[in-house]
Amino acid sequence: MGTENPNRPNFPARPAVTPFAAQQSATPFLSSGSVVGSEAPPFRPVSTASSQFSTPPFSAGSEGPAFRPPPTSRSNELVRPPPPSASYGPPSSGFQHFPSPQMPSTGQLPPPRTSFTGQPVVPMQTRPPPGHVSLPSQPQPPSVPMGSPPQSIKTGQPNMNIPLSADQHFLPSRPNAQASSPPMGPSYATPRGTFQSAFPGYANMQPNSVAQAPTMQPSSFPLQQGNYGPPAPSTPFLSQQRGYTPGPPMSTPSGLYTGTQMQQHGIAPPLANSQGLAEDFSSLSLGSVPGSFDAGVDVAALPRPLGGDVEPKTFAEMYPMNCSSRFLRLTTSGIPNSQSLASRWHLPVGAVVCPLAETPAGEEVPVVNFATTGIIRCRRCRTYVNPYVTFTDHGRKWRCNICSLLNDVPSDYFAHLDASGIRVDMDQRPELTKGSVEFIAPAEYMVRPPMPPLYFFLIDVSASAVQSGMLEVMSQTIKSCLDDLPGYPRTQIGFITYDSTIHFYNMKSSLMQPQMMVVSDLDDIFIPLPDDLLVNLSESRSVVEAFLDSLPSMFQNNMNVESAFGPALKAAFMVMSQLGGKLLIFQNTLPSFGVGRLRLRGDDIRVYGTDKEHILRLPEDPFYKQMAADFTKHQIAVNVYAFSDKYTDIASLGSLAKYTGGQVYYYPNFQSSIHKDKLRHELARDLTRETAWEAVMRIRCGKGVRFTTYHGNFMLRSTDLIALPAVDCDKAYAAQLSLEETLLTTQTVYFQVALLYTSSSGERRIRVHTAAAPVVADLGEMYRLADTGAIISLFSRLAIEKTSSSKLEDARNAVQLRIVKALREYRNLYAVQHRLTGRMIYPESLKYLPLYGLALNKSTPLRGGYADAQLDERCAAAYTMMALPVKKLLKLLYPNLVRVDDSLVKTEEFDISKRLPLTIGSLDTRGLYIFDDGFRFVVWFGRAISPDIAQNLLGEDFALDYSKVSLSQRDNEMSRKVMKILNKYRESDPSYFQLCHLVRQGEQPREGFFLLTNLVEDQVGGSSGYADWMLQLFRQIQQNA
Amino acid sequence: MGDLFAWLISFFLVIGVIGVILYQLMCLADLEYDYINPYDSASRINKALLPEFVAQGVLCFLHLFTGHWVMFLLCAPYAYYNFTIYTRGRHLLDVTEIFNQLPWEKKVRLYKLGYLVVFLALTIFWMIWSIVDE
């Protein structure tokens, strides 16, 4: 439909950008439009036109049924001056035009024939004179009129507008409508509702800019409005409006309506009844009905997690003794009581565990020392004592909450019970009151003396490493962290460097300078010294410092470009295998020498899209997996730092980190001048954060359920024992449950996560998190208790795992399919009692699921095809996402976008929580925006930004190429403010350093690369935009529904 | 006489292959019930893989050369399967992913076992037949 295109232009300000925005044209929906066009020429020849409304019989002018809210995307349209109203006049029939104003904007709406005579007037108002048009930033006036008038038309009352979102809540707000004409109180047909809502939404969006006219905002109508009001077909007014229409006096426009309205009525007979009030699901009206091509989604009304991740609260309230949700999140807190129920749920049943999550001050996990009694555990299932065990027999026995076995209470642990059966010493026993405790483990929990914290560095010193400056930044950082390494004075440290040979360093404390030994026989690696390659840091401190000082200069003139990575890895393994610890690998090139050498792959485009594509994402050489398995066996965790701009086969290198519980840090095209701060921060955090060593983790759960599959970066040591050579607060693990018995008879299922580890101080400890969850027999309840964050976390891990055995597209489709199945099942729950036509319904708890699903499909590991992301980048992101805790993952999927120029100019304090929807429509050419996904900042300068701001922030560089400019603190208020904001964001999320990328509007390809591809709600490349995505889901949900 | 001899060899080969498969299944079951660790389990199974493949291949060629066409055709699919996974390098168990592969690997071996039992029955039948025939 050519027609749509015209709309596009409307992002007036930025031509360059438009393509992205524009994409909508592509939508399938177009075709139908023609029908309308003819009839309502004045309107934009709108595309689809027509009837979204399937249901009701259109009595008369059926052609024009178009209530559909205009596709949101179109918002641009506002801009256009509407053709003079003439068109509206058409006589007759009964088609009411609703929204004349909309029409212009959406194009879609135009019901062909308007009956309203009055209308012409209205439109005039609404439309801004051509001149105004467009820029969002511009004076809003246009917007105001637009918003309200239309409404008036429709509803008859301008006031009606109600704040968007809350579907059900608006009742109170609407009072006028009802009040005004109580008797009339027509029912709104739901579809109608949608129509309206869409419109308003539309209005809202545009002006995302601050300016929105107040009236506008309220405009969105909750869908459900329709429901209120008894159906009162009788009065003409009613019928028109279907809804609220207030009595004629109220709104002039209404008066205009003529008999034609009746038809509308016919179209959507008042369905509503009071049941709307009782609906316990959220819904989104999508105007389309199966079979119709027209789509109308009110973009502004789509749910967005602008408040960030929200943890379900009901659960915590129900079981106050549960561990905090930062440690354990269940995908649904209602555990299904039967296998058939579980299979109908379609989403994963499982948990995401972050055993060492950082706790805010004051909520530290209490440490309990059972020195004399030994740790109290169930004899049979080995569950640790926890708040949910019950004491009986005057306190002499306790019943395990997981397996219900009656255990004896050791005499040292005995306490009397009070009248209500509670131990008298309850308040002094954190293990009986808190969901998270840490036990100090006695010698039985050790297979060897607790290991000291051990850091071993394997450093590539080939020519590229030296040239990029990586070597220098790294040695400086390590040196500055020496004081903060955990575990003083037991900490051990060692180094190996390599290019085409391997260099060992003797760091014996009696030496002044480290001694270097070169081994060039790569086929048969041996260790030149039995010890002293790994030394105690506090004893050899001066030697280590001398080494780090001289390291960059030692290899300054190294011209060797080879990398004997495999042999060096083996050497490091031999040095470390006695103790275990953490191995940090700094790799700059593709391993090219000796065992484990890799070759360039992934540059053959023909492979993409075929069945062999996934092989590129798997380790090429089994050497790496084998080494990873050996590392885990010997308690060595590997962190890989990769720096090359060329292909380094992160898929292979990363598998070392994946199976040892490590992490991959990837700095493509590392240049110390740009990435210095990022490497410094992340390396320092890696070295200094509290780390748990030689750990194993097990999740126990009650009878009848069992954790079957585990997802994350680790290796399983037995079916349910996760081996973690090193764990820290930035790692989370996911697991899926399955039901072993067909029917669960218990009321509650308990989960207990136990992490046995050696702390940096050399203590063996067990961290135990306990949670209880109710067993439910009702599918609706499962949905109500669902946790989107945990579900998405599991989804992303499953999808990433799927990319290593099939095509990207299959992985994306799998995500989509599961969402569709889940929502379809949910729809079926309510389809009988409620009228759902034209609405997509979902539980309140899952309202963000579709959006996050979309964002997941557009995330680096899953997006597009060959050209959309470098293979290495994809793999690195995949390894990272496999380990991310829920909150950070959600932030990565739906990043923060905030506008800061206003607060720079004014004096007010910057409101960090004012997030914007991730669509290009949120960006105003005169604004300054910060985009933060937890891994980087993108600072976006609008084209029309006041030079003042740019100059203040960037000094003299503001006119240069932004890729060469960095944001640093300058001596003026604005600059200080921006830096303050950035630092605030950084502090709130210290796991990674967010490097600042400056982007100017229209500066391609940087803008596209950094920002536009990450605006997940927009249509980019071949992927759909948010509104389209919802329609796709909606359509699929309706099939076979 | 030669035919009987061929059937005898074939009989022992089938028994041998069944034994190896049973051993692998046992290792997998032990792993599942946590009697041995994944490292040992994987290395034991991987050691037993080649003998299995070789014995099966020999069996296949034996039937080919002795002109037992039906039996040859029966064993060909199995040999072909082994050959393809071997050439793709997927025959070895991956210790890092062994728990995820466990259900599949067990299933494969159970199918092989069923197949071999049928094969064994046929072999015995033909062996007795050839004895009677003489």
Side-chain angles (χ1 to χ4, degrees), chain A residues 164-168 223-224 279-286 297-298 301-304 347 780 783-784 786 788 819 822-830 836 839-851 1026 1030 1033-1034 1037:
Chain A
L164 310 172
S165 56
D167 316 348
Q168 309 181 343
L223 311 175
Q224 305 185 343
E279 289 181 352
D280 46 1
F281 49 80
S282 310
S283 68
L284 178 73
S285 59
L286 299 167
V297 181
D298 173 8
L302 295 172
R304 295 186 173 85
L347 297 169
Y783 280 106
R784 201 177 62 75
T788 307
I819 295 175
L823 293 181
R824 182 187 296 155
E825 196 70 47
Y826 187 74
R827 185 182 181 86
N828 291 344
L829 281 183
Y830 291 98
L836 302 177
R839 286 199 292 164
M840 177 160 167
I841 67 164
Y842 42 79
E844 177 70 17
S845 57
L846 294 181
K847 63 182 170 189
Y848 302 136
L849 184 69
L851 177 57
Y1026 191 10
M1030 291 302 267
L1033 293 183
F1034 179 65
I1037 288 167

Side-chain angles (χ1 to χ4, degrees), chain A residues 713-871:
Chain A
N713 290 354
F714 55 77
M715 219 182 107
L716 284 172
R717 187 165 300 162
S718 72
T719 38
D720 61 347
L721 188 67
I722 297 177
L724 299 166
V727 211
D728 51 63
C729 57
D730 296 328
K731 311 270 162 60
Y733 309 93
Q736 287 192 91
L737 273 179
S738 64
L739 271 69
E740 286 188 307
E741 294 168 12
T742 44
L743 205 61
L744 287 186
T745 49
T746 48
Q747 296 298 308
T748 314
V749 172
Y750 299 93
F751 298 93
Q752 188 170 67
V753 179
L755 177 81
L756 170 64
Y757 69 94
T758 299
S759 70
S760 295
S761 56
E763 244 174 357
R764 199 75 176 144
R765 291 183 173 197
I766 306 162
R767 181 172 283 217
V768 177
H769 302 296
T770 312
V775 174
V776 299
D778 171 32
L779 191 58
E781 192 69 358
M782 285 183 73
Y783 280 106
R784 201 177 62 75
L785 293 171
D787 176 353
T788 307
I791 291 172
I792 284 294
S793 183
L794 255 167
F795 266 170
S796 64
R797 288 161 199 248
L798 292 170
I800 289 169
E801 279 174 7
K802 195 163 171 86
T803 61
S804 58
S805 62
S806 48
K807 287 184 279 187
L808 292 177
E809 198 183 345
D810 295 343
R812 289 194 295 261
N813 289 342
V815 171
Q816 183 172 355
L817 188 65
R818 287 194 89 165
I819 295 175
V820 166
K821 277 187 178 165
L823 293 181
R824 182 187 296 155
E825 196 70 47
Y826 187 74
R827 185 182 181 86
N828 291 344
L829 281 183
Y830 291 98
V832 182
Q833 313 101 307
H834 298 268
R835 179 159 186 115
L836 302 177
T837 314
R839 286 199 292 164
M840 177 160 167
I841 67 164
Y842 42 79
E844 177 70 17
S845 57
L846 294 181
K847 63 182 170 189
Y848 302 136
L849 184 69
L851 177 57
Y852 279 126
L854 175 66
L856 177 61
N857 283 351
K858 292 182 174 186
S859 63
T860 318
L862 294 180
R863 76 164 59 128
Y866 169 69
D868 293 289
Q870 294 279 323
L871 182 57

Side-chain angles (χ1 to χ4, degrees), chain A residues 870-883:
Chain A
Q870 294 279 323
L871 182 57
D872 272 351
E873 232 166 284
R874 247 184 234 284
C875 294
Y879 286 126
T880 303
M881 282 171 67
M882 286 297 277

Side-chain angles (χ1 to χ4, degrees), chain B residues 17-18 20-29 32-33 45 49 52 78 81-82 101-119:
Chain B
V17 176
I18 288 181
V20 174
I21 296 280
L22 279 176
Y23 173 74
Q24 293 176 10
L25 271 173
M26 203 184 65
C27 287
L28 289 174
E32 194 173 0
Y33 294 99
I45 292 173
L49 276 173
E52 176 205 331
Y78 188 161
Y81 173 79
N82 284 348
Q101 296 169 349
L102 196 63
W104 167 251
E105 295 291 341
K106 263 174 74 177
K107 213 196 297 175
V108 168
R109 283 168 176 77
L110 282 174
Y111 278 120
K112 282 184 178 177
L113 194 63
Y115 183 91
L116 286 168
V117 167
V118 172
F119 201 82

